[in-house]
Amino acid sequence: MKTLVIVTHPNIETSRINKRWAAELRKHSELMTVHELYSTYPDGKIDVEREQKLIEAHDNIVFQFPLYWYSSPPLLKQWLDEVFTYSWAYGSTGDKLRNRKLGLAISLGGKESDFGKDGDIPFTINEITIPFQATCSYTGMNFLPIFTVYGAEYHLTDEQIEQSAIDYVKYIVEIVQSGEKATV
Ligand SMILES: Cc1cc2nc3c(=O)[nH]c(=O)nc-3n(C[C@H](O)[C@H](O)[C@H](O)COP(=O)(O)O)c2cc1C
C-alpha cells in the first residue's frame, strides 16, 4: 500500500522546506514514492500515460507544493488538466481515481495568523484549496485534512523545518495511510 507524492516546486534547488520534505520522504520508499514534476518535465511536456500508470500503481495521492499566489505552482495545474482525462478520471467509465484519498502538503510564506477572518487574507487554507476539494468530489476521491507549514518568510529555524519533515512523514502514515497496514 503506497502513496504517490507529487512534488511541484519550480526552484527545488533553492527551496528550504519542500526540498527537506522530499528528502525525508525518500527515506520511506517502501511506503511512498516521491515524484518531482519540474525535474521530470523540465520542458513542460507531460507524459500522460506514464502519469496515469503511476497513479494506478499507488493507492493514495499527496500534492506537495509551496503556496504561490494562493494557488499551486503552474505545472501542477497543467498536470491536472492533462492527466485527469475523460473516461480515465471522469465520465461514465472514468473511475480510476474513485475512492483514492488525496492529501495536500503546503508550505506558506505567511504566518498562520495572516489567514482567516481576522487576518490580512480573510480566507483559511481550507477555503483557498476549494478547487482541489471540488476536484475530489467530481472524481470520487476523498479529500484529507491538509498538512501545512506557515511562516516560511519569517525565518523558520532549521530545527522547525526538521520537525516539520518528521511531522510530514507522520501525516502520510497516520492520516493518508490510516486504516492501511503500515508502520515506520
Ligand atoms: C511566486 C511566489 C508566490 C508566492 N505566493 C505566496 C502566497 O500567495 N502566499 C504565501 O503565504 N506565500 C507565498 N509565497 C511564499 C512561498 O510560499 C514560500 O516561499 C515557500 O512556501 C517556501 O518553501 P520552500 O522553502 O520550499 O521554497 C510565494 C513565493 C513566490 C516565489
Side-chain angles (χ1 to χ4, degrees):
M1 291 291 152
K2 265 183 126 174
T3 299
L4 178 63
V5 181
I6 307 279
V7 177
T8 315
H9 194 304
N11 301 300
I12 197 81
E13 300 316 321
T14 59
S15 150
R16 284 183 78 206
I17 300 170
N18 285 270
K19 188 179 177 180
R20 182 67 196 88
W21 284 359
E24 191 63 28
L25 299 193
R26 283 198 174 93
K27 296 179 186 169
H28 304 279
S29 57
E30 73 290 1
L31 297 176
M32 50 196 94
T33 303
V34 175
H35 181 46
E36 279 190 46
L37 292 188
Y38 277 98
S39 58
T40 307
Y41 300 113
D43 58 1
K45 291 200 176 72
I46 294 170
D47 181 341
V48 171
E49 201 179 325
R50 174 189 174 187
E51 296 300 307
Q52 291 179 340
K53 292 270 174 295
L54 202 52
I55 293 169
E56 288 172 32
H58 291 77
D59 302 287
N60 305 307
I61 307 170
V62 171
F63 293 149
Q64 175 192 319
F65 56 88
L67 194 69
Y68 276 14
W69 288 112
Y70 306 98
S71 184
S72 70
L75 190 56
L76 181 57
K77 179 60 167 62
Q78 182 189 335
W79 183 93
L80 286 165
D81 292 353
E82 295 182 13
V83 175
F84 287 9
T85 52
Y86 178 76
S87 86
W88 185 85
Y90 68 100
S92 58
T93 59
D95 62 356
K96 294 291 193 289
L97 296 171
R98 193 157 301 281
N99 297 326
R100 293 180 198 277
K101 291 183 251 179
L102 178 74
L104 302 179
I106 306 175
S107 62
L108 302 92
K111 295 185 292 235
E112 190 163 8
S113 56
D114 293 339
F115 293 84
K117 68 177 173 27
D118 298 324
D120 291 344
I121 309 300
F123 307 101
T124 64
I125 193 65
N126 255 308
E127 291 166 334
I128 288 167
T129 56
I130 279 174
F132 291 102
Q133 299 174 46
T135 296
C136 284
S137 302
Y138 195 63
T139 59
M141 287 193 284
N142 301 311
F143 189 76
L144 296 171
I146 304 166
F147 180 80
T148 51
V149 166
Y150 290 89
E153 286 171 357
Y154 293 87
H155 311 294
L156 285 181
T157 64
D158 289 345
E159 289 71 28
Q160 285 172 310
I161 293 176
E162 282 308 302
Q163 187 58 51
S164 75
I166 306 293
D167 294 344
Y168 182 23
V169 171
K170 270 184 91 172
Y171 165 81
I172 293 186
V173 172
E174 293 178 7
I175 308 285
V176 180
Q177 299 179 337
S178 72
E180 298 164 21
K181 282 191 186 132
T183 47
V184 281

